[in-house]
Amino acid sequence: MHQLSKVPNINDLNEINPTCKAILWDMDGTIMETEVLHITSLYELLKTKHPDNQIELKTIEEVCYGQTDPKILDSFQEKGYLTDLTITAFIEAKDKIIEDLLSKTQIERIFNVQIRNFMVSVNQLGIKQAVVTSSEKNITHILLKHLGILEFFEFIITREDTSENKPSPMPYVTAMKKLDLEARHIVIFEDSTLGLQAALNSKAPFCKAKWYANQI
């Protein structure tokens, strides 16, 4: 596993895997720093639903990091919060808050422009790119469209697209099959513990993205 404190360039990619034919990107915390959006949206939702019993932001961050929305909701409901919400209602409420936050958030705060530059360079070399995320389809497309980078991806695999999610390698293995490429021709960029475990189990070369590590 390579650890990257800065966004790579083409030379870095060649060092990581000189036979790379495709890059598989995690989204949250890798392409963009969405953790702040997810944490803030949950804080706002909890404040609305439980005005007299607030959870600290640190606790919300610990529950959210690298997890799918169903598991996040389960964790809060086990603590006695948001028990009146179905998973569908929870996702809809959270996504609505995130969309509102996006309109008030400078892109530079959540997206490193060097990532877009790297994607452009990769695209020019004919190296394919795809997104493999544990986030929901709706909010994934909203976020990537907001950044203006949807055009770079062959496809997007979200939580709904596979029967198993990270740390299972299934999302990444599914992406490799869609690309018709062997693991040895892939590079995965990930940041979370669960995502890195999924990348490791996929057998593809992978990197731990740390360029957003100090922003949460």
Side-chain angles (χ1 to χ4, degrees), residues 34-50 53-57 59-65 67-77 81-82 85 87 89-91 93-98 101:
T34 52
E35 295 298 337
V36 66
L37 297 175
H38 288 293
I39 292 165
T40 304
S41 67
L42 278 165
Y43 178 78
E44 293 297 327
L45 182 58
L46 286 161
K47 185 168 65 174
T48 299
K49 292 285 187 178
H50 306 279
N53 192 8
Q54 280 297 295
I55 298 179
E56 294 183 358
L57 283 171
T59 301
I60 297 174
E61 179 183 333
E62 290 171 352
V63 171
C64 290
Y65 189 60
Q67 293 288 357
T68 62
D69 280 330
K71 290 187 177 181
I72 290 170
L73 181 59
D74 285 345
S75 294
F76 280 118
Q77 290 185 335
Y81 297 97
L82 308 177
L85 294 181
I87 183 58
F90 172 69
I91 291 169
K94 189 161 75 73
D95 287 357
K96 185 176 181 180
I97 297 171
I98 289 176
L101 288 171

Side-chain angles (χ1 to χ4, degrees), residues 5-207:
S5 58
K6 65 178 182 63
V7 178
N9 55 37
I10 294 301
N11 290 334
D12 296 325
L13 182 63
N14 287 333
E15 289 182 10
I16 295 165
N17 185 359
T19 68
C20 178
K21 295 182 180 179
I23 293 174
L24 299 179
W25 294 88
D26 169 56
M27 184 178 72
D28 299 300
T30 303
I31 290 178
M32 59 190 300
E33 184 44 283
T34 52
E35 295 298 337
V36 66
L37 297 175
H38 288 293
I39 292 165
T40 304
S41 67
L42 278 165
Y43 178 78
E44 293 297 327
L45 182 58
L46 286 161
K47 185 168 65 174
T48 299
K49 292 285 187 178
H50 306 279
D52 299 324
N53 192 8
Q54 280 297 295
I55 298 179
E56 294 183 358
L57 283 171
K58 182 179 180 181
T59 301
I60 297 174
E61 179 183 333
E62 290 171 352
V63 171
C64 290
Y65 189 60
Q67 293 288 357
T68 62
D69 280 330
K71 290 187 177 181
I72 290 170
L73 181 59
D74 285 345
S75 294
F76 280 118
Q77 290 185 335
E78 287 173 4
K79 298 176 187 295
Y81 297 97
L82 308 177
T83 54
D84 62 325
L85 294 181
T86 64
I87 183 58
T88 299
F90 172 69
I91 291 169
E92 288 178 353
K94 189 161 75 73
D95 287 357
K96 185 176 181 180
I97 297 171
I98 289 176
E99 285 192 72
D100 183 57
L101 288 171
L102 278 176
S103 68
K104 304 172 184 176
T105 303
Q106 292 183 335
I107 286 182
E108 293 79 9
R109 187 184 175 200
I110 59 173
F111 182 56
N112 186 331
V113 69
Q114 292 179 25
I115 293 174
R116 191 181 198 285
N117 295 339
F118 178 58
M119 287 178 173
V120 170
S121 298
V122 168
N123 189 55
Q124 290 173 342
L125 290 175
I127 296 173
K128 295 180 179 180
Q129 302 178 78
V131 174
V132 180
T133 177
S134 294
S135 287
E136 306 290 328
K137 189 179 298 294
N138 180 58
I139 197 62
T140 296
H141 282 264
I142 287 171
L143 290 167
L144 295 177
K145 183 177 180 181
H146 184 73
L147 298 183
I149 57 175
L150 275 173
E151 64 187 282
F152 295 119
F153 307 121
E154 300 288 316
F155 54 82
I156 297 168
I157 291 178
T158 62
R159 185 189 70 79
E160 302 99 316
D161 294 320
T162 54
S163 59
E164 296 179 12
N165 300 121
K166 303 172 187 177
S168 166
M170 183 182 288
Y172 283 118
V173 172
T174 299
M176 292 177 213
K177 289 179 179 177
K178 286 176 70 71
L179 290 166
D180 194 24
L181 290 174
E182 297 177 11
R184 62 193 177 94
H185 293 307
I186 300 291
V187 170
I188 295 172
F189 290 118
E190 264 287 358
D191 74 305
S192 70
T193 301
L194 295 180
L196 291 166
Q197 186 64 50
L200 174 66
N201 292 339
S202 78
K203 309 301 183 184
F206 66 100
C207 302

